[in-house]
Amino acid sequence: MLRRLLAPLMLFLLFAAVTGGVWWNALAHALDRLEERGRADLALSGDRLIGQLQRYREMTVLIAGHPQIRQLAERPDSDPVQAHLVLQKAADITGSDELVVVGVAGQVLASSDDAARAGRDLSDAPSVRRALQGALGFHHEVEPGTGRRLFVYAAPVFSDDGPVLGAVVARIDTEAVEVVWRGEPMIVFFSDRQGTVFVSNRDELILVDLVRRDGGRNYLGQDARRLGGHEIWVLNGGPYLPRRALHLTRPLPVIGMTGEALVDIAPAERQAILQSMLAAAAFVVVGAALYALWERRRALATRLAAEAEANARLETRVAERTRELSQANELLRRTQAELVQAGKLSALGQMSAGISHELNQPLMAIQSYAENAAQFLQRGEPGRAADNLSRIADLARRMGRIIRNLRTFARQESDGMGDVDLVAVVQAALELVEPRLSRAAITVDWSVPDAPVMVRGGEVRLQQVVVNLLSNAADAIGQGGRIGIAFDRHGTRVSLRIRDTGPGIREPERIFDPFYSTKEVGASEGMGLGLSISYSIVKSFGGSISARNPAEGGAEFTVELDAAQGARAA
Ligand code: ADP
């Protein structure tokens, strides 16, 4: 269970790591670029503000040296009309809110503004105090009654011989400065040392206290965080301020303020999200491709395994079948050997009557020859007795041959292959069936060759084949006919032909089938195995056996065998 969950979990973690990594990297890059641009813009804004204020500062110093102004400062009780005109003109040209000349005690002597009455006391203003001490004064303030934000420059008015007579004070409304860069995309503001925003291109930020956040005065509700080396403010400042912004600062010691900028990071975030989504999509596509590849390999492996298994099954089946087959073969071989033996015994059964007659006849002859010989000896005719005795010996030899043939024929073991004299085989077979042939008055036509005809085969089994063919011929003939025996040689083959004058074969194509017989079952007759046994015997010698009905009548069987090696050469 755990192992099954492990792979998807790892995959998911990898996916999250890749996507998160790409997001983080993209965001860091985008923030770097934002900061770079923001810093450049902030520097520009700061320079511009300083440049604008510089104009007022120079104007203030210049007016402080104006003869009309100095005159008024020298004689504060004189008519301020000339000075008023100078101040008014300068204010109109520079767009200052108000230009004022104060006396040495800080009391207003003249103003660019008609309505502004003389007698006002500006000695409290820090810049005026500084100017009356002989230095150029500068400060900013929020006008108590109107709430207007003012920059104030104060330049000392010196007498010819040195001491300060008064000061020229220029009050500049920040609106005049701000109006130039309202609506710029980047939020810029300038805060003083107390942390109050004094100038900004966004109304929402003006006079917001950036330091004291707890008292509810902090309109921004900002929360600062650091993100990859950047300071990010999380704002809660209404629809015109971004939710999250990059905060940049730049100290402006010339005017005693800090320039600050807020750059919306939403585009950077969008870009980072887009890139991470692209990475996620790529991950999914690549992952899917890899998964498909892996699946295919797995399917292939499964198929190969299945094939290997099927092959193994097939092989064991083949091995099993082979074993069964060889067992069956062995059984067949044994059965065949048994059949051969059975065929022989059946032939012997058929021949036994004839053979016992054949043995009986010489036995009777021997008996009478022996009796006669005894009489001849009594009569003193040893010559004739000896003649009888030699006949007896001949007959005994003949009987011995018959018995030997029978023994050989009946022997169970199958002799091996070798070179066999076919003439001797036919002679032995003829001797075995002779009693039967003579009883049926069948004549054998055979011109016995002078030399042996050597062939490849087993003597006893070959004899069995010939006995079988001769017995079948005798069966077919019945009474009083002829059997012809002949040898032929062509090349390396030798054939033995046995023909008879019987009625011929009824179904030549079936006679080699086992258990095919036209003879009556029972009696002395066979069971249709003789020819099929002969067939397999001859086949086992590499020979062949065939049968036909010759045109002149009867049946003819031909056994063809390989000639023996030595005989072939001859
Ligand atoms: P069986 O002798 O027991 O019938 P065989 O296999 O020796 O069995 O012979 C099969 C059959 O072939 C015989 O029944 C017979 O019909 C036929 N046959 C064999 N030899 C001859 C022959 N010389 N002439 C005519 N038919 C024959």
Side-chain angles (χ1 to χ4, degrees), residues 304-320:
L304 284 180
E307 271 172 19
E309 198 186 328
N311 269 350
R313 263 209 312 272
L314 204 69
E315 266 166 33
T316 50
R317 275 245 295 279
V318 167
E320 255 168 43

Side-chain angles (χ1 to χ4, degrees), residues 396-439:
R397 242 194 316 277
R398 183 168 161 218
M399 287 172 75
R401 220 168 50 230
I402 291 171
I403 290 166
R404 201 166 50 246
N405 272 339
L406 269 178
R407 249 213 327 262
T408 322
F409 188 69
R411 215 165 44 208
Q412 170 127 34
E413 75 263 21
S414 61
D415 49 349
M417 280 276 281
D419 291 354
V420 181
D421 178 12
L422 197 53
V423 177
V425 167
V426 172
Q427 269 170 338
L430 272 174
E431 247 161 53
L432 281 174
V433 294
E434 164 62 27
R436 195 166 160 216
L437 297 180
S438 51
R439 248 188 308 139

Side-chain angles (χ1 to χ4, degrees), residues 211-348:
V211 177
R212 292 178 50 204
R213 297 174 45 220
D214 44 2
R217 278 188 60 197
N218 186 2
Y219 175 75
L220 288 178
Q222 108 270 15
D223 183 14
R225 302 189 176 151
R226 301 212 62 83
L227 192 70
H230 304 281
E231 188 185 336
I232 305 295
W233 279 13
V234 180
L235 304 172
N236 185 15
Y240 300 106
L241 291 180
R243 280 286 300 148
R244 277 182 297 280
L246 185 65
H247 179 233
L248 304 172
T249 58
R250 178 182 166 86
L252 298 174
V254 182
I255 55 170
M257 291 199 170
T258 306
E260 298 181 56
L262 288 174
V263 189
D264 191 358
I265 64 166
E269 284 176 329
R270 272 202 300 276
Q271 197 179 342
I273 285 174
L274 192 75
Q275 284 193 18
S276 65
M277 268 162 59
L278 279 177
F283 187 93
V284 167
V285 168
V286 170
L290 285 179
Y291 180 75
L293 215 70
W294 180 74
E295 266 295 296
R296 254 185 57 186
R297 277 198 52 179
R298 219 184 50 163
L300 202 73
T302 319
R303 221 178 60 210
L304 284 180
E307 271 172 19
E309 198 186 328
N311 269 350
R313 263 209 312 272
L314 204 69
E315 266 166 33
T316 50
R317 275 245 295 279
V318 167
E320 255 168 43
R321 283 288 135 80
T322 312
R323 203 169 48 245
E324 281 169 15
L325 262 179
S326 55
Q327 278 168 1
N329 235 355
E330 174 61 17
L331 191 69
L332 201 66
R333 213 183 48 71
R334 274 210 311 275
T335 311
Q336 211 174 30
E338 278 162 18
L339 277 178
V340 169
Q341 189 59 19
K344 282 197 293 199
L345 295 182
S346 137
L348 275 178

Side-chain angles (χ1 to χ4, degrees), residues 346 350 468-477 498-500 502-507 510-520 524-534 547-549 554-557:
S346 137
Q350 283 176 33
N468 188 42
L469 291 178
L470 291 173
S471 307
N472 274 352
D475 285 345
I477 291 166
I498 297 177
R499 58 192 301 180
D500 60 65
I505 304 158
R506 213 180 298 165
E507 293 171 290
R510 290 189 59 196
I511 50 170
F512 294 107
D513 293 348
F515 305 109
Y516 171 77
S517 178
T518 56
K519 296 168 193 168
E520 281 168 33
S524 65
E525 317 303 351
M527 38 188 201
L529 283 175
L531 280 180
S532 61
I533 290 171
S534 299
R548 66 185 190 109
N549 291 329
E556 182 183 83
F557 284 82

